[in-house]
Amino acid sequence: MEVRIKHFDELTAVEFLEIAKLRVAVFVVEQHCPYQEIDDTDREAWHVWLTDDAGQIAAYGRVYGDDDNSHLGRVLVRQDQRKHHLGDRLLQELLQIAAVKFPRRPVTIGAQAHLQNFYGKAGFRPVSEIYLEDDIPHVKMLRPADSF
């Protein structure tokens, strides 16, 4: 596995196309959620992905920040790669980017509710009740800045 980290301004058209295709495949097609998958947040985000031996994206996520927090989003592992624990490695890479690019800021994520234990192992805790986003149960989770 190779790790790739690029700000939107550094992405090639082909890289962004491959990222967009995978995000749509997972979040729109696989999860049956018709929504505006590509958004303006992509422009300000750091895009992080792991490639498989064939150079294809195996796992992906983005990191962005505001004045108060850093945020993780669009975290995914390609369906045929989900039994290889790539989520753990990807999450560590995302958290490292958040710590470097947005130091001393808590990290938030709108996590699918069934992934609370996964994010909990990395220091996240729920800070909201479960809510529906695109008919999928989610929960807002936060990792305090002092946990870095």
Side-chain angles (χ1 to χ4, degrees):
M1 286 289 147
E2 183 178 337
V3 178
R4 305 266 175 97
I5 302 165
K6 291 188 176 185
H7 189 269
F8 179 80
D9 296 334
E10 301 169 313
L11 291 171
T12 67
V14 171
E15 287 170 332
F16 190 68
L17 175 65
E18 293 304 313
I19 289 167
K21 284 173 32 183
L22 183 56
R23 285 174 24 185
V24 168
V26 171
F27 297 124
V28 178
V29 177
E30 180 184 331
Q31 296 182 356
H32 307 288
C33 295
Y35 72 104
Q36 186 63 45
E37 194 346 271
I38 307 303
D39 60 21
D40 289 333
T41 301
D42 283 316
R43 289 186 192 179
E44 61 189 76
W46 291 89
H47 300 265
V48 180
W49 67 99
L50 307 176
T51 60
D52 62 19
D53 294 337
Q56 301 297 308
I57 301 171
Y60 167 86
R62 68 183 185 182
V63 179
Y64 56 99
D66 58 32
D67 291 339
D68 300 317
N69 299 292
S70 58
H71 307 273
L72 306 185
R74 304 299 202 262
V75 178
L76 65 85
V77 175
R78 196 175 73 212
Q79 192 171 32
D80 65 329
Q81 296 289 324
R82 291 188 186 146
K83 295 187 181 199
H84 302 294
H85 303 286
L86 297 181
D88 295 322
R89 178 151 180 220
L90 176 65
L91 184 56
Q92 291 310 308
E93 296 289 343
L94 292 167
L95 290 171
Q96 285 179 345
I97 294 300
V100 170
K101 301 297 180 186
F102 308 102
R104 295 176 300 284
R105 293 184 210 174
V107 183
T108 65
I109 187 166
Q112 291 187 8
H114 74 276
L115 295 172
Q116 286 185 72
N117 289 338
F118 170 74
Y119 289 110
K121 289 186 295 184
F124 285 86
R125 59 181 169 75
V127 293
S128 78
E129 296 295 320
I130 293 176
Y131 59 92
L132 288 180
E133 184 173 313
D134 300 311
D135 290 327
I136 296 174
H138 281 71
V139 62
K140 183 175 181 182
M141 300 187 78
L142 180 133
R143 185 176 193 248
D146 61 5
S147 64
F148 292 100

PDB file of all heavy atoms in Angstrom, residues 51-72:
ATOM      1  N   THR A  51      -3.338   3.273  -1.995  1.00  0.00           N
ATOM      2  CA  THR A  51      -3.482   2.566  -3.267  1.00  0.00           C
ATOM      3  C   THR A  51      -3.119   1.100  -3.082  1.00  0.00           C
ATOM      4  O   THR A  51      -2.260   0.755  -2.272  1.00  0.00           O
ATOM      5  CB  THR A  51      -2.583   3.170  -4.363  1.00  0.00           C
ATOM      6  OG1 THR A  51      -1.217   3.088  -3.955  1.00  0.00           O
ATOM      7  CG2 THR A  51      -2.948   4.615  -4.637  1.00  0.00           C
ATOM      8  N   ASP A  52      -3.776   0.242  -3.855  1.00  0.00           N
ATOM      9  CA  ASP A  52      -3.452  -1.186  -3.830  1.00  0.00           C
ATOM     10  C   ASP A  52      -2.265  -1.453  -4.755  1.00  0.00           C
ATOM     11  O   ASP A  52      -1.692  -0.523  -5.338  1.00  0.00           O
ATOM     12  CB  ASP A  52      -4.679  -2.034  -4.182  1.00  0.00           C
ATOM     13  CG  ASP A  52      -5.212  -1.783  -5.585  1.00  0.00           C
ATOM     14  OD1 ASP A  52      -4.482  -1.236  -6.453  1.00  0.00           O
ATOM     15  OD2 ASP A  52      -6.370  -2.159  -5.846  1.00  0.00           O
ATOM     16  N   ASP A  53      -1.895  -2.705  -4.901  1.00  0.00           N
ATOM     17  CA  ASP A  53      -0.736  -3.069  -5.720  1.00  0.00           C
ATOM     18  C   ASP A  53      -0.901  -2.700  -7.189  1.00  0.00           C
ATOM     19  O   ASP A  53       0.080  -2.507  -7.900  1.00  0.00           O
ATOM     20  CB  ASP A  53      -0.440  -4.569  -5.593  1.00  0.00           C
ATOM     21  CG  ASP A  53       0.017  -4.930  -4.183  1.00  0.00           C
ATOM     22  OD1 ASP A  53       0.514  -4.040  -3.461  1.00  0.00           O
ATOM     23  OD2 ASP A  53      -0.130  -6.107  -3.807  1.00  0.00           O
ATOM     24  N   ALA A  54      -2.140  -2.562  -7.633  1.00  0.00           N
ATOM     25  CA  ALA A  54      -2.406  -2.188  -9.026  1.00  0.00           C
ATOM     26  C   ALA A  54      -2.481  -0.671  -9.204  1.00  0.00           C
ATOM     27  O   ALA A  54      -2.736  -0.189 -10.303  1.00  0.00           O
ATOM     28  CB  ALA A  54      -3.710  -2.834  -9.502  1.00  0.00           C
ATOM     29  N   GLY A  55      -2.280   0.085  -8.112  1.00  0.00           N
ATOM     30  CA  GLY A  55      -2.325   1.536  -8.192  1.00  0.00           C
ATOM     31  C   GLY A  55      -3.721   2.123  -8.079  1.00  0.00           C
ATOM     32  O   GLY A  55      -3.906   3.330  -8.236  1.00  0.00           O
ATOM     33  N   GLN A  56      -4.710   1.282  -7.770  1.00  0.00           N
ATOM     34  CA  GLN A  56      -6.091   1.741  -7.625  1.00  0.00           C
ATOM     35  C   GLN A  56      -6.343   2.203  -6.192  1.00  0.00           C
ATOM     36  O   GLN A  56      -5.725   1.713  -5.245  1.00  0.00           O
ATOM     37  CB  GLN A  56      -7.065   0.608  -7.969  1.00  0.00           C
ATOM     38  CG  GLN A  56      -6.900   0.062  -9.375  1.00  0.00           C
ATOM     39  CD  GLN A  56      -7.190   1.124 -10.423  1.00  0.00           C
ATOM     40  OE1 GLN A  56      -8.229   1.771 -10.385  1.00  0.00           O
ATOM     41  NE2 GLN A  56      -6.259   1.325 -11.345  1.00  0.00           N
ATOM     42  N   ILE A  57      -7.267   3.128  -6.025  1.00  0.00           N
ATOM     43  CA  ILE A  57      -7.596   3.617  -4.693  1.00  0.00           C
ATOM     44  C   ILE A  57      -8.298   2.505  -3.909  1.00  0.00           C
ATOM     45  O   ILE A  57      -9.320   1.992  -4.337  1.00  0.00           O
ATOM     46  CB  ILE A  57      -8.496   4.860  -4.757  1.00  0.00           C
ATOM     47  CG1 ILE A  57      -7.799   5.984  -5.531  1.00  0.00           C
ATOM     48  CG2 ILE A  57      -8.865   5.326  -3.343  1.00  0.00           C
ATOM     49  CD1 ILE A  57      -8.696   7.170  -5.823  1.00  0.00           C
ATOM     50  N   ALA A  58      -7.725   2.158  -2.767  1.00  0.00           N
ATOM     51  CA  ALA A  58      -8.298   1.118  -1.912  1.00  0.00           C
ATOM     52  C   ALA A  58      -9.041   1.715  -0.724  1.00  0.00           C
ATOM     53  O   ALA A  58      -9.992   1.122  -0.220  1.00  0.00           O
ATOM     54  CB  ALA A  58      -7.199   0.184  -1.417  1.00  0.00           C
ATOM     55  N   ALA A  59      -8.614   2.892  -0.276  1.00  0.00           N
ATOM     56  CA  ALA A  59      -9.244   3.578   0.853  1.00  0.00           C
ATOM     57  C   ALA A  59      -9.025   5.074   0.667  1.00  0.00           C
ATOM     58  O   ALA A  59      -8.004   5.488   0.108  1.00  0.00           O
ATOM     59  CB  ALA A  59      -8.656   3.103   2.171  1.00  0.00           C
ATOM     60  N   TYR A  60      -9.968   5.871   1.149  1.00  0.00           N
ATOM     61  CA  TYR A  60      -9.911   7.310   0.910  1.00  0.00           C
ATOM     62  C   TYR A  60     -10.590   8.070   2.047  1.00  0.00           C
ATOM     63  O   TYR A  60     -11.537   7.577   2.663  1.00  0.00           O
ATOM     64  CB  TYR A  60     -10.636   7.650  -0.403  1.00  0.00           C
ATOM     65  CG  TYR A  60     -10.905   9.129  -0.567  1.00  0.00           C
ATOM     66  CD1 TYR A  60      -9.953   9.974  -1.112  1.00  0.00           C
ATOM     67  CD2 TYR A  60     -12.102   9.679  -0.131  1.00  0.00           C
ATOM     68  CE1 TYR A  60     -10.189  11.336  -1.221  1.00  0.00           C
ATOM     69  CE2 TYR A  60     -12.347  11.038  -0.236  1.00  0.00           C
ATOM     70  CZ  TYR A  60     -11.389  11.866  -0.778  1.00  0.00           C
ATOM     71  OH  TYR A  60     -11.616  13.213  -0.868  1.00  0.00           O
ATOM     72  N   GLY A  61     -10.132   9.277   2.289  1.00  0.00           N
ATOM     73  CA  GLY A  61     -10.789  10.205   3.196  1.00  0.00           C
ATOM     74  C   GLY A  61     -10.273  11.605   2.942  1.00  0.00           C
ATOM     75  O   GLY A  61      -9.265  11.796   2.263  1.00  0.00           O
ATOM     76  N   ARG A  62     -10.981  12.588   3.476  1.00  0.00           N
ATOM     77  CA  ARG A  62     -10.528  13.971   3.324  1.00  0.00           C
ATOM     78  C   ARG A  62     -10.488  14.648   4.681  1.00  0.00           C
ATOM     79  O   ARG A  62     -11.215  14.264   5.607  1.00  0.00           O
ATOM     80  CB  ARG A  62     -11.395  14.729   2.327  1.00  0.00           C
ATOM     81  CG  ARG A  62     -12.811  14.995   2.767  1.00  0.00           C
ATOM     82  CD  ARG A  62     -13.615  15.695   1.686  1.00  0.00           C
ATOM     83  NE  ARG A  62     -14.949  16.029   2.191  1.00  0.00           N
ATOM     84  CZ  ARG A  62     -15.890  16.609   1.483  1.00  0.00           C
ATOM     85  NH1 ARG A  62     -15.677  16.924   0.221  1.00  0.00           N
ATOM     86  NH2 ARG A  62     -17.058  16.888   2.024  1.00  0.00           N
ATOM     87  N   VAL A  63      -9.630  15.655   4.785  1.00  0.00           N
ATOM     88  CA  VAL A  63      -9.441  16.416   6.017  1.00  0.00           C
ATOM     89  C   VAL A  63      -9.557  17.894   5.671  1.00  0.00           C
ATOM     90  O   VAL A  63      -8.959  18.343   4.688  1.00  0.00           O
ATOM     91  CB  VAL A  63      -8.040  16.162   6.627  1.00  0.00           C
ATOM     92  CG1 VAL A  63      -7.841  16.975   7.899  1.00  0.00           C
ATOM     93  CG2 VAL A  63      -7.788  14.691   6.863  1.00  0.00           C
ATOM     94  N   TYR A  64     -10.306  18.619   6.475  1.00  0.00           N
ATOM     95  CA  TYR A  64     -10.413  20.062   6.281  1.00  0.00           C
ATOM     96  C   TYR A  64     -10.636  20.701   7.643  1.00  0.00           C
ATOM     97  O   TYR A  64     -10.857  20.003   8.635  1.00  0.00           O
ATOM     98  CB  TYR A  64     -11.524  20.425   5.287  1.00  0.00           C
ATOM     99  CG  TYR A  64     -12.890  19.895   5.648  1.00  0.00           C
ATOM    100  CD1 TYR A  64     -13.830  20.702   6.279  1.00  0.00           C
ATOM    101  CD2 TYR A  64     -13.249  18.580   5.363  1.00  0.00           C
ATOM    102  CE1 TYR A  64     -15.082  20.214   6.609  1.00  0.00           C
ATOM    103  CE2 TYR A  64     -14.497  18.087   5.695  1.00  0.00           C
ATOM    104  CZ  TYR A  64     -15.406  18.905   6.316  1.00  0.00           C
ATOM    105  OH  TYR A  64     -16.636  18.422   6.651  1.00  0.00           O
ATOM    106  N   GLY A  65     -10.524  22.011   7.691  1.00  0.00           N
ATOM    107  CA  GLY A  65     -10.648  22.673   8.980  1.00  0.00           C
ATOM    108  C   GLY A  65     -11.415  23.967   8.912  1.00  0.00           C
ATOM    109  O   GLY A  65     -11.654  24.512   7.833  1.00  0.00           O
ATOM    110  N   ASP A  66     -11.795  24.451  10.087  1.00  0.00           N
ATOM    111  CA  ASP A  66     -12.365  25.776  10.231  1.00  0.00           C
ATOM    112  C   ASP A  66     -11.667  26.422  11.429  1.00  0.00           C
ATOM    113  O   ASP A  66     -10.663  25.893  11.908  1.00  0.00           O
ATOM    114  CB  ASP A  66     -13.893  25.730  10.376  1.00  0.00           C
ATOM    115  CG  ASP A  66     -14.360  24.897  11.557  1.00  0.00           C
ATOM    116  OD1 ASP A  66     -13.659  24.840  12.593  1.00  0.00           O
ATOM    117  OD2 ASP A  66     -15.445  24.294  11.461  1.00  0.00           O
ATOM    118  N   ASP A  67     -12.174  27.519  11.914  1.00  0.00           N
ATOM    119  CA  ASP A  67     -11.496  28.223  13.003  1.00  0.00           C
ATOM    120  C   ASP A  67     -11.428  27.412  14.297  1.00  0.00           C
ATOM    121  O   ASP A  67     -10.526  27.621  15.103  1.00  0.00           O
ATOM    122  CB  ASP A  67     -12.202  29.557  13.292  1.00  0.00           C
ATOM    123  CG  ASP A  67     -12.020  30.555  12.160  1.00  0.00           C
ATOM    124  OD1 ASP A  67     -11.069  30.394  11.372  1.00  0.00           O
ATOM    125  OD2 ASP A  67     -12.851  31.477  12.057  1.00  0.00           O
ATOM    126  N   ASP A  68     -12.366  26.506  14.489  1.00  0.00           N
ATOM    127  CA  ASP A  68     -12.462  25.800  15.770  1.00  0.00           C
ATOM    128  C   ASP A  68     -12.066  24.330  15.733  1.00  0.00           C
ATOM    129  O   ASP A  68     -11.621  23.788  16.737  1.00  0.00           O
ATOM    130  CB  ASP A  68     -13.894  25.895  16.305  1.00  0.00           C
ATOM    131  CG  ASP A  68     -14.332  27.328  16.519  1.00  0.00           C
ATOM    132  OD1 ASP A  68     -13.531  28.120  17.053  1.00  0.00           O
ATOM    133  OD2 ASP A  68     -15.466  27.659  16.137  1.00  0.00           O
ATOM    134  N   ASN A  69     -12.288  23.666  14.597  1.00  0.00           N
ATOM    135  CA  ASN A  69     -12.109  22.216  14.532  1.00  0.00           C
ATOM    136  C   ASN A  69     -11.443  21.810  13.232  1.00  0.00           C
ATOM    137  O   ASN A  69     -11.447  22.552  12.259  1.00  0.00           O
ATOM    138  CB  ASN A  69     -13.474  21.508  14.565  1.00  0.00           C
ATOM    139  CG  ASN A  69     -14.249  21.771  15.820  1.00  0.00           C
ATOM    140  OD1 ASN A  69     -13.866  21.339  16.890  1.00  0.00           O
ATOM    141  ND2 ASN A  69     -15.348  22.497  15.700  1.00  0.00           N
ATOM    142  N   SER A  70     -10.928  20.607  13.231  1.00  0.00           N
ATOM    143  CA  SER A  70     -10.609  19.954  11.967  1.00  0.00           C
ATOM    144  C   SER A  70     -11.678  18.885  11.771  1.00  0.00           C
ATOM    145  O   SER A  70     -12.327  18.459  12.729  1.00  0.00           O
ATOM    146  CB  SER A  70      -9.202  19.359  11.979  1.00  0.00           C
ATOM    147  OG  SER A  70      -9.049  18.426  13.018  1.00  0.00           O
ATOM    148  N   HIS A  71     -11.875  18.487  10.529  1.00  0.00           N
ATOM    149  CA  HIS A  71     -12.960  17.569  10.212  1.00  0.00           C
ATOM    150  C   HIS A  71     -12.463  16.462   9.291  1.00  0.00           C
ATOM    151  O   HIS A  71     -11.677  16.718   8.374  1.00  0.00           O
ATOM    152  CB  HIS A  71     -14.103  18.311   9.483  1.00  0.00           C
ATOM    153  CG  HIS A  71     -14.588  19.506  10.212  1.00  0.00           C
ATOM    154  ND1 HIS A  71     -15.569  19.446  11.171  1.00  0.00           N
ATOM    155  CD2 HIS A  71     -14.226  20.816  10.123  1.00  0.00           C
ATOM    156  CE1 HIS A  71     -15.791  20.659  11.648  1.00  0.00           C
ATOM    157  NE2 HIS A  71     -14.994  21.503  11.026  1.00  0.00           N
ATOM    158  N   LEU A  72     -12.945  15.266   9.531  1.00  0.00           N
ATOM    159  CA  LEU A  72     -12.720  14.149   8.623  1.00  0.00           C
ATOM    160  C   LEU A  72     -14.022  13.912   7.877  1.00  0.00           C
ATOM    161  O   LEU A  72     -15.100  14.064   8.445  1.00  0.00           O
ATOM    162  CB  LEU A  72     -12.345  12.878   9.386  1.00  0.00           C
ATOM    163  CG  LEU A  72     -11.179  12.953  10.357  1.00  0.00           C
ATOM    164  CD1 LEU A  72     -10.889  11.569  10.915  1.00  0.00           C
ATOM    165  CD2 LEU A  72      -9.948  13.549   9.709  1.00  0.00           C
TER     166      LEU A  72
END
